[in-house]
Amino acid sequence: MKALTSGGRQTRRAPTIYAVAERAGVSIATVSRVQRGTEQVAAPTRDRVERAIEELAYRPSRLGRSLAHGSHDATGIVFPDLSGPYYSSVILGYEEAAAADGRSTLILATHRRDRSGDQVLELADRVDGLVIMGRTVGDEVIEGLDRRGVPVVVLARPPADGADSVRAENVRNATKLVGHLIGHGHERIAFLGDPEASTDAGERWEGFVAAHDAAGRAPAFAAQACGFREADGRAAAEALLAGPHRPTAIVAANDEIAMGVLEAARDRGLRLPDDLAITGWDDIPVARHLTPSLTTVRQPMLDLGRRAAALLHERITAIRTDPRHEVLPTELVVRSSCGCTAPLSEGGVSP
């Protein structure tokens, strides 16, 4: 199929669904049914259509499908940030599952954006549904999307009206982790992270306090608010370790903060874990290779993304209409940064 340009040169025009139908000797509706694979088409007819598609190298227009079927074949995922192993793992799990459902993924990072709520609403016009991570936007935005009929799954935050949710368990294993440190004899344990900025961090702080309550004592330190990157952990630890009554153990809200704490402790000449025990959260790949290897809590980062994609697919395709809320399990991973010389066989997981 050819067309003339203004200069008289011939260029090849992309084949259309009409060309496929003409070559196969069928209607365009039959071609569409074969492509969707959702309706019965006689085997000889299907073979003719598929052969015509291959011979013409036909590729359907995504825009055309969107107009015809009232869908975009795309979903959106809204994250506070895209850097770091936690976010990248969740996104990878999500994209794998979304691609298997035949949908592309549009990603919006709200970090340092002043109009994140407006931008999420604009993104909703370009996709069939949204996954929203953490506290990137308020409940009022999610409720507004629900009123507009946009399927929404919230990730790593409490449920919101009308939306599905998926998150990892925090409180139980945070309590177990801090109880493990108390069992080592630590009385001055500090928590680094910002419970106000993250639902996950807030629940980990809740477990921190619960472990102290179970031991009949109050925490020696209030939560030390800091960002969730390695540099944030280092800066917070430098200030904390410079005080006259430094902690003997630090519970970091994630592994990146813990890595910053390790650096700050070494800079002060502290022996790890003898002078300072350190724990993290997530069990990112590098955690077991640190010196000392990091005691942490493993959460299913890939599965968080996969389950978010699966729940969103169910709402988009109307497999169900009622919201579903899932909490995925986490597990304590005991290594040497807490003071253990060997991993636990009960109540903890070996590296």
Side-chain angles (χ1 to χ4, degrees):
M1 186 175 295
K2 297 180 179 179
L4 287 177
T5 66
S6 58
R9 291 178 289 108
Q10 287 186 329
T11 59
R12 185 173 182 83
R13 182 184 299 164
T16 66
I17 192 172
Y18 296 97
V20 173
E22 181 179 357
R23 175 164 295 200
V26 299
S27 68
I28 60 171
T30 299
V31 176
S32 180
R33 284 196 293 270
V34 170
Q35 288 182 300
R36 291 199 303 269
T38 57
E39 301 176 51
Q40 290 293 328
V41 177
T45 302
R46 181 179 297 277
D47 290 343
R48 290 204 313 275
V49 172
E50 290 176 345
R51 187 163 56 251
I53 289 173
E54 182 177 354
E55 291 171 352
L56 293 173
Y58 170 67
R59 296 293 180 270
S61 162
R62 182 175 294 275
L63 176 60
R65 288 202 307 271
S66 298
L67 293 173
H69 303 145
S71 67
H72 300 275
D73 288 341
T75 57
I77 187 164
V78 182
F79 269 51
D81 201 345
L82 299 180
S83 64
Y86 170 76
Y87 292 131
S88 61
S89 293
V90 175
I91 290 173
L92 177 60
Y94 180 85
E95 287 192 313
E96 286 177 350
D101 291 331
R103 291 188 178 88
S104 58
T105 303
L106 303 182
I107 302 174
L108 171 66
T110 60
H111 181 58
R112 295 180 179 174
R113 292 180 183 264
D114 295 329
R115 297 174 47 251
S116 58
D118 292 340
Q119 289 166 336
V120 169
L121 295 175
E122 291 170 6
L123 177 61
D125 291 333
R126 302 164 55 196
V127 297
D128 299 319
L130 286 171
V131 169
I132 297 177
M133 159 69 81
R135 296 174 179 168
T136 48
V137 294
D139 285 353
E140 70 280 359
V141 175
I142 297 172
E143 292 164 4
L145 292 168
D146 181 57
R147 288 193 296 271
R148 289 168 54 177
V150 179
V152 175
V153 176
V154 295
L155 187 60
R157 67 179 283 165
D161 287 348
D164 288 26
S165 68
V166 57
R167 52 186 172 148
E169 192 285 320
N170 287 295
V171 178
R172 184 177 65 85
N173 270 310
T175 304
K176 183 185 293 186
L177 172 65
V178 177
H180 179 73
L181 291 173
I182 291 173
H184 275 295
H186 291 286
E187 296 183 356
R188 299 183 58 79
I189 307 173
F191 179 92
L192 263 61
D194 191 348
E196 298 299 321
S198 160
T199 298
D200 281 341
E203 292 180 347
R204 290 163 200 172
W205 169 247
E206 182 182 340
F208 182 97
V209 174
H212 282 79
D213 288 344
R217 66 178 70 163
F221 301 87
Q224 307 293 300
C226 72
F228 296 93
R229 297 180 178 178
E230 184 176 344
D232 300 319
R234 180 169 185 163
E238 285 173 349
L240 189 60
L241 296 175
H245 304 291
R246 65 171 179 82
T248 60
I250 291 179
V251 173
N254 70 7
D255 290 346
E256 291 184 78
I257 294 174
M259 291 166 63
V261 175
L262 283 168
E263 293 179 1
R266 287 199 189 95
D267 288 347
R268 295 194 66 81
L270 298 178
R271 298 170 301 151
L272 306 173
D274 297 331
D275 296 329
L276 181 69
I278 301 170
T279 68
W281 196 286
D282 289 338
D283 196 25
I284 62 177
V286 73
R288 69 180 61 199
H289 303 296
L290 298 172
T291 304
S293 57
L294 187 63
T295 291
T296 185
V297 173
R298 180 180 299 151
Q299 66 168 325
M301 295 176 285
L302 285 169
D303 285 343
L304 282 168
R306 290 170 181 151
R307 287 306 303 154
L311 294 177
L312 189 59
H313 174 74
E314 291 175 3
R315 294 299 294 273
I316 290 171
T317 57
I319 291 175
R320 58 180 173 80
T321 57
D322 294 331
R324 177 177 296 170
H325 307 296
E326 296 187 1
V327 180
L328 304 187
T330 58
E331 50 190 350
L332 176 61
V333 181
V334 177
R335 298 191 177 106
S336 57
S337 69
C338 62
C340 286
T341 56
L344 295 182
S345 57
E346 295 293 337
V349 178
S350 61

